[in-house]
Amino acid sequence: MRNNKGFSFAEAIAVIAILAVLAAGVVVGIGSLGGWRVTNCASDINSSMKNTRVNAMSKSSAYMQIRCDSNGDYFLMESGKQEEKVASGSISITYETNNGVTVDITDGSPLILSYSRSSGAFMPIITNVRDDGTFTFMTDAGGAYCYCSKIVITNGAKTKTITLVKDTGKHTLE
């Protein structure tokens, strides 16, 4: 009987194939880590928009705000509720106005949205909420009101978009 030392060629190929499959799984897993953060952030914003719409139609004023702090963390707040962190600096949130201007929320420009009490349609983008609950709205250079048409949440590899329909107050998460 011979004393065989080492691996056969078939055994070596099998081990290499198994390691390749495991390495591919790790790469896919690492790539999707940031993806779930984008998905969760988009879901939180989407849910807050639904809640704000219901509250705006049943109260005199309700709004929601997405803002970024100096550390690059994003916070979401519905009027009358505690602010909550929804994303970290690895994620970017921008919004687009009806006239095609893209605004990066990290520029110190929070996005504040509200709905019409009577119809549920989106109100223009809010630039200031006064102590008495009234709003100042964003206007373009010609004095026309600016409406949010799209919110984009991304981390570079994964992107979620919330598309807003101004006249109905409806929105879709894609």
Side-chain angles (χ1 to χ4, degrees):
M1 188 183 251
R2 293 168 76 185
N3 186 3
N4 291 332
K5 294 183 181 179
F7 297 105
S8 72
F9 181 70
E11 290 171 329
I13 294 296
V15 168
I16 290 171
I18 290 169
L19 290 174
V21 168
L22 289 173
V26 167
V27 168
V28 168
I30 288 173
S32 68
L33 279 178
W36 68 266
R37 289 187 183 108
V38 169
T39 301
N40 285 351
C41 179
S43 291
D44 288 346
I45 293 170
N46 191 52
S47 177
S48 180
M49 290 173 73
K50 288 177 185 175
N51 291 340
T52 301
R53 184 169 189 251
V54 168
N55 288 335
M57 292 178 74
S58 63
K59 297 179 180 177
S60 60
S61 67
Y63 63 93
M64 63 159 286
Q65 173 179 300
I66 306 167
R67 72 169 186 88
C68 185
D69 71 4
S70 59
N71 297 324
D73 296 329
Y74 291 92
F75 294 87
L76 180 62
M77 183 191 71
E78 294 175 40
S79 55
K81 293 189 178 179
Q82 184 71 25
E83 183 176 67
E84 66 178 80
K85 182 177 173 181
V86 291
S88 65
S90 63
I91 289 178
S92 170
I93 303 176
T94 60
Y95 67 91
E96 189 174 305
T97 66
N98 57 312
N99 54 3
V101 175
T102 300
V103 179
D104 189 344
I105 293 177
T106 58
D107 292 339
S109 304
L111 174 60
I112 308 173
L113 296 175
S114 186
Y115 298 83
S116 165
R117 183 174 187 193
S118 60
S119 67
F122 281 103
M123 299 290 286
I125 298 170
I126 299 169
T127 57
N128 183 31
V129 179
R130 296 186 197 98
D131 291 338
D132 64 358
T134 58
F135 308 131
T136 304
F137 298 109
M138 179 186 287
T139 57
D140 63 14
Y145 288 128
C146 295
Y147 293 85
C148 183
S149 60
K150 191 184 296 187
I151 302 171
V152 179
I153 303 103
T154 187
N155 70 348
K158 175 111 179 182
T159 299
K160 289 286 188 177
T161 302
I162 302 172
T163 305
L164 293 72
V165 181
K166 175 184 100 169
D167 295 332
T168 63
K170 305 249 185 218
H171 56 278
T172 56
L173 175 59
E174 304 161 3

